[in-house]
Amino acid sequence: MTFLRSMLFNLLFLPFTALACIVGQVLLLGPPARIHAYARGWARGVLWLLWTTCGIGVRIEGREHLPRGAAVIASKHQSTFDAIIWLLAVDCPAYVLKQELIRPPLWGTLVQRCGHIAVERKGGVAALRGLVRASEPVLAAQRKIVIFPEGTRTEPGQRARYHPGVAAIAEACRVPLVPVATDSGRFWRRRAFHKQPGTITVSILPPLPANLPRAALMERLEAVIEAETARLYDSPGSGSGHERGALFRGQ
């Protein structure tokens, strides 16, 4: 049954996304706000598909820790889900993403029009400076930047090196840095066909002070995210049940 449900999701997800990219080209002539609203609708549709086909729901904890206005959200990254959820969880987020993700036609034009920030992962110091420069106008517009400090998806229980770009943005722009943990990988794993039913938990943690030295900030960020991720996996009942949550109630 899990195989059939996963197959149905993939058969619907890919054409749904392709159609959304094609139709979305019409919005390029309008203001970015319309594309943000359109992307939000696409994300809601994907999570609805995930729920109805695979029985995977969503629970977000710690919403009260999200500050108003500009902030940097530093999230654990285990699944494609993590790159979708923030389109619904906050208004007009700007993702930091790999340069190659803006190259595909149709998709890339929509991503650029939304003001997401593309970086060359092997660009070294120059890329880091470019990341900070690109982040300044986004944060000045009181938007939130979503960044995955590990730079790639990891398997459950796996840890990758945290990259300093997240601390560089917070330090240079003096905005709150919000750590986020998740157990998404247990249901929608990296490069895995099968998707397991249950409830993904996204845990938003209290912001870290931006005035910490960069090394100390990175150490603290990694420690709190990894500790909370471990807690989510170890907590009795975590991930069980099927919960649509507020995202599907229009709240």
Side-chain angles (χ1 to χ4, degrees):
M1 181 62 74
T2 299
F3 175 84
L4 293 177
R5 287 178 139 202
S6 301
M7 177 179 289
L8 180 59
F9 174 79
N10 288 329
L11 287 174
L12 294 173
F13 170 68
L14 296 177
F16 174 63
T17 299
L19 180 61
C21 289
I22 294 170
V23 175
Q25 300 306 301
V26 177
L27 300 176
L28 293 174
L29 300 176
R34 290 184 183 176
I35 303 180
H36 284 294
Y38 184 73
R40 190 177 179 89
W42 169 79
R44 189 178 293 277
V46 171
L47 294 192
W48 181 83
L49 283 177
L50 200 60
W51 166 257
T52 56
T53 60
C54 299
I56 298 177
V58 183
R59 174 173 55 238
I60 298 182
E61 301 176 347
R63 284 181 180 270
E64 67 277 8
H65 298 313
L66 281 176
R68 292 187 178 183
V72 176
I73 296 171
S75 177
K76 185 74 175 174
H77 193 18
Q78 296 182 334
S79 168
T80 301
F81 165 87
D82 306 315
I84 297 171
I85 187 62
W86 295 104
L87 293 171
L88 290 171
V90 300
D91 291 330
C92 301
Y95 285 89
V96 174
L97 41 78
K98 297 179 291 186
Q99 186 74 36
E100 51 264 37
L101 290 179
I102 69 169
R103 291 173 185 156
L106 304 182
W107 170 270
T109 54
L110 290 172
V111 167
Q112 292 181 72
R113 184 69 170 142
C114 282
H116 298 305
I117 303 169
V119 296
E120 181 58 59
R121 289 195 297 179
K122 297 181 180 180
V125 175
L128 186 60
R129 291 172 180 165
L131 172 61
V132 172
R133 284 195 302 270
S135 300
E136 290 172 348
V138 174
L139 295 169
Q142 297 302 298
R143 295 173 63 188
K144 291 178 173 61
I145 290 177
V146 178
I147 185 170
F148 303 113
E150 292 168 291
T152 187
R153 290 169 294 173
T154 57
E155 295 288 350
Q158 179 184 2
R159 295 171 66 159
R161 183 175 70 89
Y162 278 51
H163 298 279
V166 57
I169 299 172
E171 181 183 49
C173 302
R174 294 296 173 181
V175 294
L177 176 58
V178 183
V180 176
T182 182
D183 60 356
S184 60
R186 80 163 94 195
F187 306 103
W188 186 349
R189 296 181 66 170
R190 178 175 181 256
R191 297 174 183 167
F193 176 84
H194 287 85
K195 294 166 182 62
Q196 303 298 328
T199 301
I200 294 173
T201 299
V202 178
S203 180
I204 303 171
L205 302 169
L208 301 180
N211 59 355
L212 287 175
R214 186 177 299 184
L217 186 60
M218 289 302 301
E219 182 178 352
R220 180 99 168 264
L221 178 70
E222 181 173 356
V224 297
I225 289 178
E226 294 299 332
E228 179 64 6
T229 299
R231 185 193 70 81
L232 292 177
Y233 276 88
D234 293 341
S235 295
S238 177
S240 62
H242 310 295
E243 183 174 331
R244 292 194 185 194
L247 295 175
F248 293 103
R249 296 198 297 268
Q251 298 179 8

